Each structure stands twice: as structure tokens, then as C-alpha cells.
Coordinates of all heavy atoms in Angstrom, one line a residue:
M25 N 12.0 -27.4 19.0 CA 11.0 -26.8 18.1 C 11.2 -27.4 16.7 O 12.3 -27.5 16.2 CB 11.2 -25.3 18.1 CG 10.2 -24.6 17.3 SD 10.4 -22.8 17.3 CE 10.0 -22.4 19.0
T26 N 10.1 -27.8 16.1 CA 10.2 -28.3 14.7 C 10.5 -27.3 13.7 O 10.3 -26.1 13.9 CB 8.9 -29.0 14.3 OG1 7.9 -28.0 14.2 CG2 8.5 -30.1 15.3
R27 N 11.0 -27.7 12.5 CA 11.3 -26.8 11.4 C 10.1 -26.0 11.0 O 10.1 -24.8 10.8 CB 11.9 -27.5 10.3 CG 12.3 -26.7 9.1 CD 13.0 -27.5 8.1 NE 13.6 -26.6 7.0 CZ 13.0 -26.3 5.9 NH1 11.7 -26.7 5.7 NH2 13.5 -25.5 5.1
A28 N 8.9 -26.7 10.9 CA 7.7 -26.1 10.5 C 7.3 -25.0 11.5 O 6.8 -23.9 11.2 CB 6.6 -27.1 10.4
A29 N 7.4 -25.2 12.8 CA 7.1 -24.2 13.9 C 8.0 -23.0 13.7 O 7.6 -21.9 13.9 CB 7.2 -24.9 15.2
K30 N 9.3 -23.2 13.4 CA 10.2 -22.1 13.3 C 9.8 -21.2 12.1 O 9.9 -20.0 12.1 CB 11.7 -22.6 13.1 CG 12.3 -23.2 14.4 CD 13.7 -23.7 14.1 CE 14.3 -24.3 15.3 NZ 15.6 -24.9 15.1
I31 N 9.4 -21.9 11.0 CA 9.0 -21.2 9.8 C 7.7 -20.4 10.1 O 7.6 -19.2 9.7 CB 8.7 -22.1 8.6 CG1 10.1 -22.7 8.1 CG2 8.0 -21.5 7.4 CD1 10.0 -23.9 7.1
R32 N 6.8 -20.9 10.8 CA 5.6 -20.2 11.2 C 5.9 -18.9 12.0 O 5.3 -17.8 11.8 CB 4.6 -21.1 11.9 CG 3.7 -21.9 11.0 CD 2.5 -22.5 11.8 NE 2.9 -23.4 12.9 CZ 3.3 -24.7 12.8 NH1 3.3 -25.2 11.6 NH2 3.6 -25.4 13.8
I33 N 6.8 -19.1 13.0 CA 7.2 -17.9 13.8 C 7.8 -16.8 13.0 O 7.5 -15.7 13.1 CB 8.1 -18.4 14.9 CG1 7.3 -19.2 16.0 CG2 8.8 -17.2 15.6 CD1 8.2 -19.9 17.0
K34 N 8.7 -17.2 12.1 CA 9.4 -16.3 11.2 C 8.4 -15.6 10.3 O 8.4 -14.4 10.1 CB 10.4 -17.0 10.3 CG 11.3 -16.1 9.4 CD 12.3 -16.9 8.7 CE 13.1 -16.0 7.8 NZ 14.1 -16.7 7.0
S35 N 7.4 -16.4 9.8 CA 6.4 -15.8 8.9 C 5.5 -14.8 9.7 O 5.2 -13.7 9.2 CB 5.5 -16.9 8.3 OG 6.2 -17.7 7.5
K36 N 5.2 -15.1 10.9 CA 4.4 -14.1 11.7 C 5.1 -12.9 12.0 O 4.6 -11.8 11.9 CB 4.0 -14.8 13.1 CG 2.9 -15.8 12.9 CD 2.5 -16.4 14.3 CE 1.5 -17.4 14.1 NZ 1.1 -18.0 15.4
R37 N 6.4 -13.0 12.3 CA 7.3 -11.8 12.5 C 7.3 -10.9 11.2 O 7.2 -9.7 11.3 CB 8.7 -12.2 13.0 CG 8.7 -12.7 14.4 CD 10.1 -13.0 14.8 NE 10.2 -13.6 16.0 CZ 11.1 -14.6 16.4 NH1 12.0 -14.9 15.5 NH2 11.0 -15.1 17.5
R38 N 7.6 -11.6 10.1 CA 7.6 -10.9 8.8 C 6.3 -10.2 8.5 O 6.3 -9.0 8.2 CB 8.0 -11.8 7.7 CG 8.0 -11.2 6.3 CD 8.3 -12.1 5.2 NE 9.6 -12.7 5.4 CZ 10.1 -13.7 4.7 NH1 9.4 -14.2 3.7 NH2 11.3 -14.2 4.9
R39 N 5.2 -10.8 8.8 CA 3.9 -10.3 8.6 C 3.7 -9.0 9.4 O 3.3 -8.0 8.9 CB 2.8 -11.3 8.9 CG 1.4 -10.9 8.6 CD 0.5 -12.0 9.0 NE -0.9 -11.6 8.8 CZ -1.5 -11.7 7.6 NH1 -0.9 -12.1 6.6 NH2 -2.8 -11.3 7.5
K40 N 4.1 -9.1 10.7 CA 3.9 -8.0 11.6 C 4.8 -6.8 11.2 O 4.4 -5.7 11.2 CB 4.3 -8.4 13.0 CG 3.3 -9.2 13.7 CD 3.7 -9.6 15.1 CE 2.7 -10.5 15.8 NZ 3.1 -10.9 17.1
R41 N 6.0 -7.1 10.7 CA 6.9 -6.0 10.2 C 6.3 -5.3 9.0 O 6.4 -4.1 8.9 CB 8.3 -6.6 9.9 CG 9.2 -6.8 11.1 CD 10.6 -6.9 10.8 NE 10.9 -7.6 9.6 CZ 11.5 -8.8 9.5 NH1 12.0 -9.3 10.6 NH2 11.7 -9.4 8.4
V42 N 5.7 -6.1 8.0 CA 5.2 -5.5 6.8 C 4.0 -4.7 7.2 O 3.9 -3.5 6.7 CB 4.8 -6.6 5.8 CG1 4.1 -6.0 4.6 CG2 6.1 -7.3 5.3
F43 N 3.1 -5.2 8.0 CA 1.9 -4.4 8.4 C 2.3 -3.1 9.1 O 1.8 -2.0 8.8 CB 1.0 -5.2 9.3 CG 0.0 -6.0 8.6 CD1 0.4 -7.2 7.9 CD2 -1.3 -5.7 8.5 CE1 -0.5 -8.0 7.2 CE2 -2.2 -6.4 7.8 CZ -1.8 -7.6 7.2
A44 N 3.3 -3.1 10.0 CA 3.8 -1.9 10.7 C 4.5 -1.0 9.6 O 4.2 0.2 9.7 CB 4.8 -2.3 11.8
Q45 N 5.2 -1.5 8.7 CA 5.9 -0.7 7.7 C 4.8 0.1 6.9 O 5.1 1.3 6.6 CB 6.7 -1.6 6.8 CG 7.4 -1.0 5.7 CD 8.2 -2.0 4.9 OE1 8.6 -3.0 5.4 NE2 8.4 -1.7 3.6
Y46 N 3.7 -0.5 6.6 CA 2.7 0.2 5.8 C 1.6 0.8 6.8 O 0.6 1.2 6.3 CB 2.1 -0.8 4.8 CG 3.0 -1.0 3.6 CD1 3.9 -2.0 3.6 CD2 2.9 -0.1 2.5 CE1 4.7 -2.2 2.6 CE2 3.8 -0.4 1.5 CZ 4.7 -1.4 1.5 OH 5.6 -1.6 0.5
R47 N 2.0 1.0 8.0 CA 1.1 1.7 9.0 C -0.3 1.1 9.1 O -1.3 1.8 9.3 CB 1.1 3.1 8.8 CG 2.5 3.8 8.8 CD 2.5 5.2 8.6 NE 3.8 5.8 8.4 CZ 4.6 6.2 9.4 NH1 4.2 6.3 10.6 NH2 5.8 6.6 9.1
F48 N -0.4 -0.2 8.9 CA -1.6 -0.9 9.1 C -2.7 -0.3 8.2 O -3.9 -0.1 8.6 CB -2.1 -1.0 10.5 CG -1.1 -1.7 11.4 CD1 -0.1 -1.0 12.0 CD2 -1.1 -3.1 11.5 CE1 0.9 -1.7 12.8 CE2 -0.2 -3.8 12.3 CZ 0.8 -3.1 12.9
Q49 N -2.4 0.1 7.0 CA -3.3 0.6 6.0 C -3.1 0.1 4.6 O -1.9 -0.2 4.3 CB -3.4 2.1 6.0 CG -2.2 2.8 5.6 CD -2.3 4.3 5.7 OE1 -3.2 4.8 6.4 NE2 -1.5 5.0 5.0
C50 N -4.1 0.0 3.8 CA -3.9 -0.4 2.4 C -3.1 0.5 1.6 O -3.2 1.7 1.7 CB -5.3 -0.5 1.8 SG -5.3 -1.0 0.0
L51 N -2.1 0.0 0.9 CA -1.2 0.7 0.1 C -2.0 1.5 -1.0 O -1.6 2.6 -1.4 CB -0.2 -0.2 -0.6 CG 0.7 0.3 -1.7 CD1 1.6 1.4 -1.1 CD2 1.5 -0.8 -2.3
Y52 N -3.1 1.0 -1.5 CA -3.8 1.6 -2.6 C -4.9 2.5 -2.2 O -5.1 3.6 -2.9 CB -4.4 0.4 -3.5 CG -3.3 -0.5 -3.9 CD1 -3.2 -1.8 -3.3 CD2 -2.3 -0.1 -4.8 CE1 -2.2 -2.7 -3.7 CE2 -1.3 -1.0 -5.2 CZ -1.3 -2.3 -4.6 OH -0.3 -3.1 -5.0
C53 N -5.7 2.2 -1.2 CA -6.9 3.1 -0.9 C -6.8 3.7 0.6 O -7.7 4.4 1.0 CB -8.2 2.4 -1.1 SG -8.5 1.1 0.1
S54 N -5.8 3.3 1.3 CA -5.6 3.7 2.7 C -6.6 3.2 3.7 O -6.6 3.6 4.9 CB -5.6 5.3 2.8 OG -4.6 5.8 2.0
S55 N -7.4 2.2 3.3 CA -8.3 1.6 4.3 C -7.6 0.9 5.4 O -6.4 0.4 5.2 CB -9.2 0.6 3.5 OG -10.0 -0.2 4.4
K56 N -8.2 0.8 6.5 CA -7.6 0.1 7.6 C -8.4 -1.2 8.0 O -8.3 -1.8 9.0 CB -7.5 1.0 8.8 CG -6.5 2.1 8.6 CD -6.2 2.9 9.8 CE -5.1 3.9 9.5 NZ -4.5 4.5 10.7
E57 N -9.4 -1.5 7.1 CA -10.3 -2.6 7.3 C -9.9 -3.8 6.4 O -9.5 -3.6 5.3 CB -11.7 -2.2 7.0 CG -12.2 -1.0 7.7 CD -12.3 -1.3 9.2 OE1 -12.8 -2.4 9.6 OE2 -12.0 -0.4 10.0
N58 N -10.1 -5.0 6.9 CA -9.9 -6.2 6.1 C -8.6 -6.3 5.4 O -8.5 -6.6 4.2 CB -11.1 -6.4 5.1 CG -12.4 -6.5 5.7 OD1 -12.6 -7.2 6.7 ND2 -13.4 -5.8 5.2
L59 N -7.5 -6.0 6.1 CA -6.2 -6.0 5.5 C -5.6 -7.4 5.3 O -5.8 -8.3 6.0 CB -5.2 -5.2 6.4 CG -5.6 -3.7 6.6 CD1 -4.7 -3.1 7.6 CD2 -5.7 -3.0 5.3
T60 N -4.9 -7.5 4.2 CA -4.2 -8.7 3.8 C -2.7 -8.4 3.4 O -2.4 -7.2 3.1 CB -4.9 -9.3 2.6 OG1 -4.8 -8.5 1.5 CG2 -6.3 -9.6 2.8
L61 N -1.9 -9.4 3.5 CA -0.5 -9.3 3.0 C -0.6 -9.6 1.5 O -1.2 -10.6 1.1 CB 0.3 -10.3 3.8 CG 1.8 -10.1 3.6 CD1 2.3 -8.8 4.2 CD2 2.5 -11.2 4.4
E62 N 0.1 -8.8 0.7 CA 0.1 -9.1 -0.7 C 1.5 -9.0 -1.3 O 2.3 -8.4 -0.7 CB -0.9 -8.2 -1.4 CG -0.5 -6.8 -1.5 CD -0.5 -6.2 -2.9 OE1 -0.8 -7.0 -3.8 OE2 -0.1 -5.1 -3.1
H63 N 1.6 -9.6 -2.5 CA 2.9 -9.5 -3.2 C 2.8 -8.4 -4.3 O 1.9 -8.4 -5.1 CB 3.2 -10.9 -4.0 CG 3.4 -12.0 -3.0 ND1 2.4 -12.8 -2.5 CD2 4.5 -12.5 -2.4 CE1 2.8 -13.7 -1.7 NE2 4.2 -13.5 -1.6
L64 N 3.7 -7.5 -4.3 CA 3.7 -6.4 -5.2 C 3.9 -7.0 -6.7 O 3.2 -6.5 -7.6 CB 4.9 -5.4 -5.0 CG 4.7 -4.7 -3.6 CD1 6.0 -4.0 -3.2 CD2 3.6 -3.8 -3.6
T65 N 4.8 -7.9 -6.8 CA 4.9 -8.7 -8.1 C 4.4 -10.1 -7.7 O 5.0 -10.8 -6.9 CB 6.3 -8.7 -8.6 OG1 6.8 -7.4 -8.8 CG2 6.4 -9.6 -9.9
P66 N 3.3 -10.5 -8.3 CA 2.8 -11.9 -7.9 C 3.7 -13.0 -8.2 O 4.6 -12.9 -9.1 CB 1.5 -12.0 -8.8 CG 1.2 -10.6 -9.2 CD 2.5 -9.9 -9.3
I67 N 3.6 -14.0 -7.4 CA 4.5 -15.2 -7.5 C 4.4 -15.7 -8.9 O 5.4 -16.1 -9.5 CB 4.1 -16.3 -6.5 CG1 4.2 -15.8 -5.0 CG2 4.9 -17.6 -6.7 CD1 5.6 -15.5 -4.6
V68 N 3.2 -15.7 -9.5 CA 3.0 -16.3 -10.9 C 3.8 -15.5 -11.9 O 4.0 -15.9 -13.0 CB 1.6 -16.5 -11.3 CG1 0.8 -17.4 -10.3 CG2 0.9 -15.1 -11.3
K69 N 4.2 -14.2 -11.6 CA 4.9 -13.4 -12.5 C 6.4 -13.3 -12.1 O 7.1 -12.4 -12.5 CB 4.3 -12.0 -12.6 CG 2.9 -12.0 -13.3 CD 2.5 -10.7 -13.7 CE 1.3 -10.7 -14.6 NZ 0.8 -9.4 -15.0
G70 N 6.8 -14.2 -11.2 CA 8.2 -14.2 -10.8 C 8.5 -13.5 -9.5 O 9.7 -13.4 -9.1
G71 N 7.5 -13.0 -8.8 CA 7.7 -12.4 -7.5 C 8.2 -13.4 -6.5 O 8.1 -14.6 -6.6
T72 N 8.7 -12.8 -5.4 CA 9.2 -13.6 -4.3 C 8.5 -13.3 -3.0 O 7.7 -12.3 -3.0 CB 10.7 -13.4 -4.1 OG1 10.9 -12.1 -3.6 CG2 11.5 -13.7 -5.3
A73 N 8.8 -14.0 -1.9 CA 8.2 -13.7 -0.6 C 9.2 -12.8 0.2 O 9.0 -12.7 1.4 CB 7.9 -15.0 0.1
D74 N 10.1 -12.2 -0.5 CA 11.1 -11.2 0.2 C 10.3 -10.0 0.7 O 9.3 -9.6 0.1 CB 12.2 -10.8 -0.8 CG 13.1 -11.9 -1.2 OD1 13.1 -13.0 -0.5 OD2 13.7 -11.7 -2.3
M75 N 10.8 -9.4 1.8 CA 10.2 -8.2 2.3 C 10.0 -7.2 1.3 O 9.0 -6.5 1.3 CB 11.1 -7.7 3.5 CG 11.1 -8.5 4.7 SD 9.6 -8.4 5.7 CE 9.6 -6.8 6.2
A76 N 10.9 -7.0 0.4 CA 10.8 -5.9 -0.6 C 9.6 -6.1 -1.6 O 9.2 -5.2 -2.3 CB 12.1 -5.8 -1.4
N77 N 9.1 -7.4 -1.6 CA 8.0 -7.7 -2.5 C 6.7 -7.8 -1.8 O 5.7 -8.2 -2.4 CB 8.3 -9.0 -3.3 CG 7.3 -9.1 -4.5 OD1 7.0 -8.2 -5.2 ND2 6.8 -10.4 -4.6
L78 N 6.6 -7.5 -0.5 CA 5.4 -7.7 0.3 C 4.9 -6.3 0.6 O 5.6 -5.3 0.9 CB 5.7 -8.4 1.5 CG 6.2 -9.9 1.3 CD1 6.5 -10.5 2.7 CD2 5.1 -10.7 0.6
A79 N 3.6 -6.2 0.6 CA 2.9 -4.9 1.0 C 1.6 -5.3 1.7 O 1.2 -6.5 1.8 CB 2.6 -4.1 -0.2
V80 N 0.9 -4.3 2.1 CA -0.4 -4.5 2.8 C -1.5 -3.9 1.9 O -1.4 -2.8 1.3 CB -0.5 -3.8 4.1 CG1 -1.9 -3.9 4.8 CG2 0.6 -4.4 5.1
S81 N -2.6 -4.6 1.6 CA -3.7 -4.1 0.9 C -5.0 -4.6 1.5 O -5.0 -5.7 2.2 CB -3.6 -4.5 -0.6 OG -3.8 -5.9 -0.7
C82 N -6.1 -3.9 1.3 CA -7.4 -4.4 1.8 C -7.8 -5.5 0.9 O -7.3 -5.7 -0.2 CB -8.4 -3.3 1.9 SG -8.9 -2.7 0.3
Y83 N -8.8 -6.3 1.4 CA -9.2 -7.4 0.6 C -9.7 -7.0 -0.8 O -9.4 -7.6 -1.8 CB -10.3 -8.2 1.4 CG -10.9 -9.3 0.6 CD1 -10.3 -10.5 0.6 CD2 -12.1 -9.1 -0.2 CE1 -10.8 -11.6 -0.2 CE2 -12.6 -10.1 -0.9 CZ -12.0 -11.4 -0.9 OH -12.5 -12.4 -1.7
D84 N -10.5 -5.9 -0.8 CA -11.1 -5.4 -2.1 C -10.0 -5.1 -3.1 O -10.1 -5.5 -4.3 CB -12.0 -4.2 -1.9 CG -13.3 -4.6 -1.1 OD1 -13.7 -5.8 -1.1 OD2 -14.0 -3.7 -0.5
C85 N -9.0 -4.3 -2.7 CA -8.0 -3.9 -3.6 C -7.1 -5.1 -4.0 O -6.8 -5.3 -5.2 CB -7.1 -2.9 -3.0 SG -7.8 -1.2 -2.9
N86 N -6.9 -6.0 -3.1 CA -6.1 -7.2 -3.4 C -6.9 -8.1 -4.4 O -6.3 -8.6 -5.4 CB -5.8 -8.0 -2.1 CG -4.6 -9.0 -2.3 OD1 -4.0 -9.1 -3.4 ND2 -4.3 -9.7 -1.3
Y87 N -8.2 -8.2 -4.2 CA -9.0 -9.0 -5.1 C -9.0 -8.3 -6.5 O -8.8 -9.1 -7.5 CB -10.4 -9.1 -4.6 CG -11.3 -9.9 -5.4 CD1 -11.3 -11.3 -5.3 CD2 -12.2 -9.3 -6.3 CE1 -12.1 -12.1 -6.1 CE2 -13.1 -10.1 -7.1 CZ -13.0 -11.4 -7.0 OH -13.8 -12.2 -7.8
K88 N -9.2 -7.0 -6.6 CA -9.2 -6.3 -7.9 C -7.8 -6.4 -8.6 O -7.7 -6.6 -9.8 CB -9.5 -4.8 -7.7 CG -10.9 -4.5 -7.6 CD -11.0 -3.0 -7.6 CE -11.6 -2.4 -6.4 NZ -11.8 -1.0 -6.4
K89 N -6.7 -6.4 -7.8 CA -5.4 -6.5 -8.3 C -5.1 -7.8 -9.0 O -4.5 -7.9 -10.0 CB -4.4 -6.2 -7.2 CG -2.9 -6.2 -7.7 CD -2.0 -5.8 -6.5 CE -0.6 -5.9 -6.9 NZ 0.0 -7.3 -6.7
G90 N -5.6 -8.9 -8.4 CA -5.5 -10.2 -8.9 C -4.0 -10.5 -9.2 O -3.2 -10.4 -8.3
Q91 N -3.7 -10.8 -10.5 CA -2.3 -11.2 -10.8 C -1.6 -10.1 -11.5 O -0.5 -10.3 -12.1 CB -2.3 -12.4 -11.7 CG -2.8 -13.7 -11.0 CD -2.8 -14.9 -11.9 OE1 -2.4 -14.9 -13.1 NE2 -3.2 -16.0 -11.3
M92 N -2.1 -8.8 -11.3 CA -1.4 -7.7 -11.9 C -0.2 -7.3 -10.9 O -0.2 -7.6 -9.7 CB -2.3 -6.5 -12.0 CG -3.3 -6.5 -13.0 SD -4.2 -4.9 -13.1 CE -5.6 -5.3 -12.2
T93 N 0.8 -6.7 -11.5 CA 1.9 -6.2 -10.7 C 1.4 -4.9 -10.0 O 0.4 -4.4 -10.4 CB 3.2 -5.9 -11.5 OG1 2.9 -4.8 -12.4 CG2 3.7 -7.1 -12.2
H94 N 2.1 -4.5 -9.0 CA 1.8 -3.2 -8.4 C 1.7 -2.1 -9.4 O 0.7 -1.3 -9.4 CB 2.9 -2.9 -7.3 CG 2.8 -1.5 -6.8 ND1 1.9 -1.1 -5.9 CD2 3.6 -0.4 -7.0 CE1 2.1 0.2 -5.6 NE2 3.1 0.6 -6.3
E95 N 2.6 -2.0 -10.3 CA 2.6 -0.9 -11.2 C 1.4 -1.0 -12.2 O 0.8 0.0 -12.5 CB 3.9 -0.9 -12.0 CG 5.1 -0.5 -11.2 CD 5.7 -1.6 -10.3 OE1 5.3 -2.8 -10.5 OE2 6.6 -1.3 -9.5
E96 N 1.2 -2.2 -12.7 CA 0.0 -2.4 -13.6 C -1.3 -2.0 -12.9 O -2.1 -1.4 -13.6 CB 0.0 -3.9 -14.0 CG 1.1 -4.4 -14.9 CD 1.2 -5.9 -15.1 OE1 0.6 -6.6 -14.3 OE2 1.8 -6.3 -16.0
F97 N -1.4 -2.4 -11.7 CA -2.7 -2.1 -11.0 C -2.8 -0.6 -10.8 O -3.9 0.0 -11.0 CB -2.7 -2.8 -9.6 CG -3.9 -2.6 -8.8 CD1 -5.1 -3.1 -9.2 CD2 -3.9 -1.8 -7.6 CE1 -6.3 -2.9 -8.5 CE2 -5.0 -1.7 -6.8 CZ -6.2 -2.2 -7.3
C98 N -1.8 0.1 -10.4 CA -1.8 1.6 -10.2 C -2.2 2.2 -11.5 O -3.1 3.2 -11.5 CB -0.5 2.1 -9.7 SG -0.2 1.7 -8.0
V99 N -1.7 1.8 -12.7 CA -2.0 2.4 -13.9 C -3.4 2.0 -14.3 O -4.2 2.9 -14.7 CB -1.0 1.9 -15.0 CG1 -1.5 2.3 -16.4 CG2 0.4 2.5 -14.8
A100 N -3.8 0.8 -14.2 CA -5.2 0.3 -14.6 C -6.3 1.0 -13.9 O -7.3 1.3 -14.4 CB -5.3 -1.2 -14.4
Y101 N -6.1 1.4 -12.6 CA -7.1 2.0 -11.8 C -6.8 3.4 -11.4 O -7.5 4.0 -10.6 CB -7.3 1.2 -10.5 CG -8.1 -0.1 -10.8 CD1 -7.4 -1.3 -11.1 CD2 -9.4 -0.2 -10.8 CE1 -8.0 -2.5 -11.3 CE2 -10.1 -1.4 -11.0 CZ -9.4 -2.5 -11.3 OH -10.1 -3.7 -11.6
S102 N -5.8 4.0 -12.1 CA -5.4 5.4 -11.9 C -5.2 5.7 -10.4 O -5.7 6.7 -9.9 CB -6.5 6.4 -12.5 OG -6.7 6.1 -13.8
I103 N -4.4 4.9 -9.8 CA -4.1 5.0 -8.4 C -2.7 5.6 -8.2 O -1.8 5.1 -8.9 CB -4.2 3.7 -7.6 CG1 -5.6 3.1 -7.7 CG2 -3.7 3.8 -6.2 CD1 -5.7 1.7 -7.3
P104 N -2.5 6.6 -7.4 CA -1.2 7.2 -7.3 C -0.3 6.1 -6.6 O -0.7 5.4 -5.7 CB -1.4 8.3 -6.3 CG -2.8 8.6 -6.2 CD -3.5 7.4 -6.7
D105 N 0.9 6.0 -7.1 CA 1.9 5.0 -6.5 C 2.5 5.6 -5.2 O 3.3 6.5 -5.2 CB 3.0 4.8 -7.5 CG 3.9 3.6 -7.1 OD1 3.8 3.2 -5.9 OD2 4.7 3.1 -7.9
R106 N 1.9 5.2 -4.1 CA 2.4 5.7 -2.8 C 3.5 4.8 -2.1 O 3.9 5.2 -1.1 CB 1.2 5.7 -1.8 CG 0.0 6.6 -2.3 CD -1.2 6.6 -1.4 NE -0.9 6.4 0.0 CZ -1.4 5.4 0.7 NH1 -2.3 4.6 0.2 NH2 -1.1 5.2 2.0
K107 N 3.9 3.8 -2.8 CA 4.8 2.8 -2.2 C 6.1 3.5 -1.7 O 6.6 3.4 -0.6 CB 5.2 1.7 -3.1 CG 6.2 0.7 -2.6 CD 6.4 -0.4 -3.6 CE 7.2 0.1 -4.7 NZ 7.7 -0.9 -5.6
E108 N 6.7 4.3 -2.6 CA 8.0 4.9 -2.3 C 7.9 6.0 -1.2 O 8.7 6.1 -0.4 CB 8.7 5.5 -3.6 CG 9.2 4.5 -4.5 CD 10.1 3.5 -3.9 OE1 11.0 3.9 -3.2 OE2 10.0 2.3 -4.2
A109 N 6.8 6.7 -1.2 CA 6.5 7.7 -0.2 C 6.4 7.1 1.2 O 6.9 7.6 2.2 CB 5.3 8.5 -0.5
I110 N 5.7 6.0 1.2 CA 5.5 5.3 2.5 C 6.9 4.7 3.0 O 7.2 4.9 4.2 CB 4.5 4.1 2.4 CG1 3.1 4.7 2.2 CG2 4.6 3.2 3.6 CD1 2.1 3.6 1.8
L111 N 7.6 4.1 2.1 CA 9.0 3.6 2.5 C 9.9 4.7 2.9 O 10.7 4.6 3.9 CB 9.5 2.8 1.4 CG 8.7 1.5 1.1 CD1 9.3 0.8 -0.1 CD2 8.6 0.6 2.3
M112 N 9.9 5.9 2.2 CA 10.7 7.0 2.6 C 10.3 7.5 4.0 O 11.2 7.9 4.8 CB 10.6 8.1 1.5 CG 11.4 9.4 1.8 SD 13.2 9.0 1.8 CE 13.5 8.8 0.1
Q113 N 9.0 7.7 4.3 CA 8.6 8.1 5.6 C 9.1 7.2 6.6 O 9.5 7.6 7.7 CB 7.1 8.3 5.6 CG 6.6 8.8 6.9 CD 7.1 10.3 7.1 OE1 7.1 11.1 6.3 NE2 7.6 10.5 8.3
L114 N 9.0 5.9 6.4 CA 9.6 4.9 7.4 C 11.0 5.2 7.6 O 11.5 5.2 8.8 CB 9.3 3.5 6.8 CG 9.9 2.4 7.7 CD1 9.1 2.3 9.0 CD2 9.9 1.1 7.0
R115 N 11.8 5.4 6.6 CA 13.3 5.7 6.8 C 13.4 7.0 7.6 O 14.3 7.0 8.5 CB 13.9 5.8 5.4 CG 14.1 4.5 4.7 CD 14.9 4.7 3.4 NE 14.5 3.7 2.5 CZ 13.7 3.9 1.4 NH1 13.4 5.1 1.1 NH2 13.4 2.9 0.6
L116 N 12.7 8.0 7.4 CA 12.8 9.2 8.1 C 12.4 9.0 9.6 O 13.0 9.6 10.5 CB 11.9 10.3 7.5 CG 12.3 10.8 6.1 CD1 11.3 11.8 5.6 CD2 13.7 11.5 6.2
D117 N 11.4 8.2 9.8 CA 10.9 7.9 11.2 C 12.0 7.2 12.0 O 12.1 7.3 13.2 CB 9.6 7.1 11.2 CG 8.4 7.9 10.8 OD1 8.6 9.2 10.6 OD2 7.4 7.3 10.5
I118 N 12.8 6.3 11.4 CA 13.8 5.6 12.0 C 15.0 6.5 12.5 O 15.5 6.3 13.5 CB 14.3 4.4 11.1 CG1 13.2 3.4 10.9 CG2 15.6 3.8 11.7 CD1 13.6 2.3 9.9
H119 N 15.2 7.5 11.7 CA 16.4 8.4 12.0 C 16.0 9.5 12.8 O 15.3 10.1 13.3 CB 17.1 8.9 10.8 CG 17.6 7.7 10.0 ND1 18.7 7.0 10.4 CD2 17.2 7.2 8.8 CE1 19.0 6.1 9.5 NE2 18.1 6.1 8.5

């Protein structure tokens, strides 16, 4: 298997884990339609592709968010920050 193929498989697994972690719904509006993988802190602002910086958002929210950080977007659009609640529920479900 080539290195590129291994990277694609790893990326698909990571994507599936992130989508499952966020229960296949948008972090911002809870939509289950047109979901995308997004960076909480955009790469252009120093974000990484680490699991801790990845979330799920619908296309519309991701488009509106643009290059804002997760926190900036929540404040700008008066959206409750549900990230910690979702991650806490995931920890409770595991135990």
C-alpha cells in the first residue's frame, strides 16, 4: 500500500470518528443535512488537523463561519457554545 493510500484511510477513519463524536449533527444549529468537517480554529489562524480542532458543521454554518474561530462565530451569531456539552456527553456514554 502506498503512503498516499495509508493517509487517505487514516483520514477517512478520523472523519468517521469526528462525525460520530458530534452525533452526525451540526455543532452550531443541530442540522443533520449537508454536513462538513470543519476546523474549530482555522488553519489560517494557526489551527491544526488534530482531532481536538475538528468538528462537524452544516455547509451553511461552515460558510458563515468562514475564517472565524469557533468562539468568534458563537459570539458573532449569538450561538450557544455546545462543544463542551457534546464532548462531555460523549465521555459519559463511554463509561
Side-chain angles (χ1 to χ4, degrees):
M25 183 178 296
T26 67
R27 183 173 187 271
K30 288 179 184 177
I31 290 171
R32 276 194 300 277
I33 289 170
K34 185 177 179 182
S35 294
K36 285 182 183 180
R37 286 183 188 147
R38 180 181 297 174
R39 182 180 181 84
K40 286 180 183 179
R41 280 198 319 245
V42 174
F43 273 75
Q45 179 176 334
Y46 285 90
R47 301 183 191 266
F48 299 91
Q49 66 183 18
C50 176
L51 172 62
Y52 305 107
C53 72
S54 300
S55 172
K56 294 187 177 196
E57 304 293 322
N58 300 317
L59 297 177
T60 63
L61 192 64
E62 69 124 0
H63 295 89
L64 296 169
T65 301
I67 300 294
V68 298
K69 289 193 174 180
T72 66
D74 294 339
M75 289 287 291
N77 191 44
L78 297 175
V80 175
S81 67
C82 68
Y83 176 84
D84 291 340
C85 288
N86 198 1
Y87 182 80
K88 281 191 241 178
K89 182 176 174 272
Q91 294 183 1
M92 286 186 264
T93 66
H94 167 74
E95 292 80 10
E96 291 167 342
F97 182 67
C98 288
V99 169
Y101 287 90
S102 301
I103 298 171
D105 188 345
R106 299 178 31 234
K107 180 180 71 170
E108 290 305 318
I110 289 171
L111 297 178
M112 180 62 74
Q113 185 62 46
L114 177 69
R115 287 185 209 106
L116 293 174
D117 289 349
I118 292 172
H119 297 289

